[in-house]
Every structure is written in structure tokens, then in C-alpha cells.
């Protein structure tokens, strides 16, 4: 039986991929076309020392409850490994 190799998401080197995936998800869910690249940063978790995405939401995000919740959810999914690099690439290829 062949094992499916899951390629790890590199939060620093794959930032463009994450940006495009978030933009796609927001566009599909809320029909909003917005650049989200400055709405989060990569930082080390104080406890685990692992790299995570940390929200730095602008006023635009904070004023839109649906967008705020969706973006928080997307960041959580990346930080808790619920979405893989392969899944992001697949979603972007199926536009």
C-alpha cells in the first residue's frame, strides 16, 4: 500500500501560497476580493517554540464580523495543521 506523502507547510517560505489560499477562501465564502497579506504575521509560539500565524487584523477586518471570524478560522486551521500545503495547492488549482 502506498503512503501519501504530506508536504509540510512552511509558514515563512509558503507565505504567498497562504495569502492566495486565504484570498480564495474569503472570495468564495463572502464574495469579497481583498489582499490579506498584511493581516497576519509569522511568530514563534512562546510555549511550544513552533512557528504560528498571528493575527494583526486591520480596521477593515475588525469592522466586518463575518470576515473577522472567517480569517480567524483560517489562521486556526493553519496553526492546528487542519489544512495541508497539498490541500491549499489543490484548492488554488481548482479555481
Amino acid at each position: 500500500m502506498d503512503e501519501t506523502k504530506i508536504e509540510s507547510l512552511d509558514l515563512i517560505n509558503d507565505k504567498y501560497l497562504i495569502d492566495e489560499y486565504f484570498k480564495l477562501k474569503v472570495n468564495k465564502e463572502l464574495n469579497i476580493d481583498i489582499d490579506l497579506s498584511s493581516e497576519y504575521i509569522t511568530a514563534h509560539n512562546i510555549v511550544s517554540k513552533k512557528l504560528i500565524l498571528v493575527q494583526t487584523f486591520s480596521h477593515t477586518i475588525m469592522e466586518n464580523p463575518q470576515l473577522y471570524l472567517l480569517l480567524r478560522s483560517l489562521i486556526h486551521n493553519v496553526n492546528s495543521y487542519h489544512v495541508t500545503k497539498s490541500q491549499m495547492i489543490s484548492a488554488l488549482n481548482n479555481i
Side-chain angles (χ1 to χ4, degrees):
M1 192 158 92
D2 290 334
E3 264 187 55
T4 303
K5 185 173 181 175
I6 298 175
E7 193 174 353
S8 297
L9 192 60
D10 182 325
L11 299 184
I12 295 172
N13 293 324
D14 293 328
K15 177 143 176 41
Y16 179 77
L17 175 65
I18 296 167
D19 292 343
E20 291 301 307
Y21 177 74
F22 285 1
K23 184 176 180 176
L24 172 70
K25 294 299 273 185
V26 167
N27 197 319
K28 276 187 171 182
E29 296 283 327
L30 304 176
N31 200 27
I32 298 172
D33 188 19
I34 186 171
D35 178 16
L36 300 166
S37 61
S38 63
E39 301 297 340
Y40 65 93
I41 59 169
T42 304
H44 280 96
N45 181 300
I46 295 170
V47 176
S48 71
K49 306 295 184 212
K50 292 182 181 178
L51 279 177
I52 60 170
L53 298 182
V54 178
Q55 65 189 40
T56 58
F57 296 161
S58 65
H59 198 63
T60 303
I61 304 296
M62 299 299 285
E63 287 183 331
N64 185 329
Q66 291 179 313
L67 181 55
Y68 172 82
L69 291 173
L70 178 57
L71 196 50
R72 276 197 55 159
S73 174
L74 291 169
I75 289 172
H76 171 75
N77 287 344
V78 168
N79 287 339
S80 54
Y81 308 105
H82 289 141
V83 64
T84 64
K85 183 174 183 174
S86 299
Q87 290 170 323
M88 286 184 181
I89 292 169
S90 178
L92 290 167
N93 286 335
N94 291 327
I95 298 176

